[in-house]
Amino acid sequence: MERESPAEEALVLLRSRLCNPNFIFSALSDFPDSNYSKLKFIVSSSVTEGCNNSVLLLGPRGCGKIAVLELVVDSLLKDYPDMISVIKLNGLLHSEDNCAIKEISRQLCLEHQLLFSKMASFDDNSQFMISMLRECGLAHKTIIFVLEEFDLFAQGKQRLLYSLLDAMQSVTSQAVVVGVSCRLDADQLLEKRVRSRFSHRKLLFLPPSKEDLQRLLEHILLLPTDSSLPPDYVSEFNAKLLDILAKDRFKQIIDVLSNSDSTFNHLLRFLFSAVCFVDLRTGFLSLENFKAALATIQRAPKLDYLKDCSVLELYILVCMKRLEVKEQESYNFNSVMKEYKSIKDSFPTSDYHSRTVCLRAFEHLLERELISFMDSRGNNQSIEFRPVRLLISSQELYQGLKAYRSCPVILQKLIEREG
């Protein structure tokens, strides 16, 4: 079998890294003030000191809450293999109290090789959970309850959270509840009786700083010197990469990327795309690869829709944008037609169509969802009189007009003037 070229082997290594959350977040786990270190201290203290704890991991989706939690759990399972049991619930699946307590019982039975009864009631399963917490506490075994989408468990009567946190008040129990939520006010959703039993520890996951970002990029993209890759290739690859990372143009690309979405997931998708653009003949990352990846990541479907619009539909969109600039809070098809006529009177062109043709183009824009009605009221009202709004930004409209090959010059001038 033919051996892979160094370039192919390097790309396989980089892709495997980008798909491995444990490798990615291990770069940020060595610092004492990192969320990894704080969470590991909280959970490990429960294991070693036999106490109960509860903590919330809060932050936007894609910022690494679950990845850091799994990194902590994996590390503790290696350090204390026979002293930890992990129970995982998700609010999207188990927000109903009876379903959640049944799932806890099922996982506890599976973990300890016991027979699970599907017919058990909520009270039976609650008693079983309390008994298991007591038995595990006496055996110096900690149960970690991971509640993803924690805010969904805080809806309704919160019987599960109360039963779980109340059972942890016993001196014989030994457990940790880790709630994960994208809602920063998740703890405020708790009832008073539940909140009084919660320890109010919160870890906030923020977008990476510039220093963390630089460290992360080097950690992911630099090739290891002790691998099977040729040393000369590794040395040249790393030197070129560090040169790219130091360039102002690359920093501008990262700034543009972060301005739209600063989460780890977005960054990893961008890097994966850049790696996929590498030319196998050279085998090195280039600035053009990152530019192409940014263009792919920032692709706007609405710009594709604009390419298929007729010139008349572009006129209607520009008219609506002009009405918004004039701070006209509510407008309909009739208002748009008045604006269209004013453009025609000010700039005589051949691009003027009848009201019927304009109405058909207006309906086509509604179907493409480039515009929409302000509300669902007035369904029985004629389309011409229903208030509408624009669903495309000024920047997107400007870019779409520039990319449109047969776009009238007057439209570009109008949108530039309004911008």
Side-chain angles (χ1 to χ4, degrees):
M1 185 176 175
E2 189 177 350
R3 194 175 186 275
E4 288 183 332
S5 67
E8 290 175 332
E9 195 175 336
L11 294 188
V12 169
L13 174 63
L14 292 179
R15 288 194 189 106
S16 65
R17 283 179 173 182
L18 288 165
C19 295
N20 183 0
N22 286 353
F23 175 83
I24 292 161
F25 288 96
S26 62
L28 306 176
S29 63
D30 301 329
F31 303 94
D33 59 341
S34 67
N35 283 330
Y36 171 85
S37 300
K38 293 175 182 176
L39 182 60
K40 187 172 181 180
F41 173 77
I42 291 171
V43 180
S44 61
S45 63
S46 296
V47 178
T48 55
E49 298 173 16
C51 60
N52 296 308
N53 265 318
S54 52
V55 61
L56 283 178
L57 311 185
L58 305 176
R61 297 190 189 281
C63 63
K65 301 184 293 294
I66 296 296
V68 169
L69 174 58
E70 289 182 349
L71 203 61
V72 168
V73 170
D74 289 344
S75 174
L76 291 175
L77 284 172
K78 291 176 183 176
D79 296 341
Y80 312 102
D82 300 321
M83 296 175 64
I84 293 177
S85 178
V86 182
I87 304 297
K88 294 183 178 181
L89 298 179
N90 191 305
L92 295 172
L93 300 173
H94 312 113
S95 59
E96 200 274 316
D97 292 330
N98 194 36
C99 174
I101 199 75
K102 186 176 289 188
E103 178 62 18
I104 289 175
S105 298
R106 188 192 69 81
Q107 291 188 37
L108 285 172
C109 288
L110 188 66
E111 177 78 18
H112 297 90
Q113 299 179 349
L114 300 173
L115 188 63
F116 171 64
S117 172
K118 294 181 180 180
M119 304 303 293
S121 65
F122 180 90
D123 291 335
D124 292 337
N125 285 323
S126 294
Q127 287 301 317
F128 173 73
M129 179 183 71
I130 293 169
S131 300
M132 288 302 298
L133 282 170
R134 183 172 59 251
E135 293 298 324
C136 288
L138 294 172
H140 302 292
K141 186 170 186 177
T142 300
I143 301 178
I144 302 174
F145 294 93
V146 178
L147 307 181
E148 295 183 41
E149 307 294 343
F150 180 83
D151 50 288
L152 297 181
F153 288 102
Q155 296 176 356
K157 297 181 179 179
Q158 304 182 11
R159 291 172 66 197
L160 168 73
L161 294 177
Y162 177 76
S163 299
L164 185 56
L165 294 171
D166 189 58
M168 289 168 56
Q169 302 305 306
S170 170
V171 292
T172 56
S173 65
Q174 194 171 326
V176 183
V177 173
V178 183
V180 183
S181 177
C182 60
R183 287 192 59 167
L184 301 183
D185 63 342
D187 59 323
Q188 299 303 314
L189 302 174
L190 301 176
E191 293 178 354
K192 186 177 180 180
R193 60 173 186 163
V194 178
R195 196 181 302 143
S196 64
R197 288 164 171 77
F198 199 79
S199 55
H200 296 284
R201 290 186 178 88
K202 292 187 285 187
L203 296 181
L204 190 59
F205 284 72
L206 299 172
S209 63
K210 289 188 176 181
E211 293 77 13
D212 287 343
L213 201 56
Q214 181 72 17
R215 194 183 304 116
L216 196 64
L217 289 170
E218 292 179 7
H219 175 69
I220 294 172
L221 297 177
L222 286 176
L223 297 178
T225 54
D226 57 350
S227 64
S228 59
L229 292 165
D232 293 342
Y233 172 76
V234 171
S235 178
E236 189 176 358
F237 184 98
N238 290 344
K240 290 190 175 186
L241 176 66
L242 290 173
D243 183 53
I244 291 171
L245 296 182
K247 287 182 177 178
D248 290 337
R249 182 68 189 108
F250 177 79
K251 292 177 182 177
Q252 289 174 8
I253 291 173
I254 294 297
D255 287 342
V256 171
L257 183 77
S258 300
N259 287 339
S260 61
D261 188 344
S262 56
T263 60
F264 284 104
N265 275 2
H266 193 61
L267 174 67
L268 296 178
R269 284 198 299 271
F270 164 71
L271 295 179
F272 195 95
S273 183
V275 168
C276 291
F277 280 115
V278 171
D279 188 349
L280 288 175
R281 289 172 295 181
T282 62
F284 300 108
L285 277 165
S286 68
L287 192 59
E288 296 304 318
N289 298 148
F290 292 104
K291 288 180 181 177
L294 182 65
T296 303
I297 288 289
Q298 288 194 314
R299 184 178 178 184
K302 288 177 183 177
L303 294 182
D304 294 335
Y305 287 155
L306 284 176
K307 292 177 184 177
D308 298 328
C309 286
S310 66
V311 173
L312 175 57
E313 288 164 358
L314 295 180
Y315 265 101
I316 293 174
L317 292 173
V318 171
C319 288
M320 293 178 69
K321 178 52 66 179
R322 280 166 62 88
L323 289 171
E324 286 187 357
V325 171
K326 292 176 182 178
E327 296 184 358
Q328 190 163 331
E329 294 181 2
S330 178
Y331 53 86
N332 54 26
F333 175 74
N334 291 329
S335 309
V336 174
M337 286 306 296
K338 286 179 185 178
E339 188 66 27
Y340 180 52
K341 188 176 184 303
S342 72
I343 292 176
K344 182 253 180 185
D345 293 340
S346 304
F347 309 96
T349 66
S350 58
D351 298 316
Y352 189 74
H353 303 271
S354 67
R355 183 182 178 87
T356 306
V357 175
C358 290
L359 183 59
R360 197 176 303 139
F362 188 78
E363 291 172 345
H364 190 221
L365 290 173
L366 283 167
E367 290 173 2
R368 284 182 170 273
E369 296 186 354
L370 290 171
I371 64 176
S372 73
F373 294 118
M374 291 287 283
D375 51 48
S376 58
R377 292 178 295 177
N379 289 329
N380 298 326
Q381 198 176 9
S382 174
I383 289 178
E384 301 160 69
F385 301 102
R386 291 184 65 182
V388 292
R389 62 182 171 186
L390 201 56
L391 297 180
I392 184 169
S393 67
S394 300
Q395 185 65 23
E396 287 173 324
L397 184 56
Y398 176 70
Q399 290 177 359
L401 292 176
K402 283 187 69 175
Y404 198 92
R405 291 183 179 180
S406 56
C407 175
V409 178
I410 184 60
L411 282 184
Q412 292 189 14
K413 288 184 179 179
L414 286 171
I415 200 70
E416 284 174 6
R417 184 185 302 173
E418 303 302 339

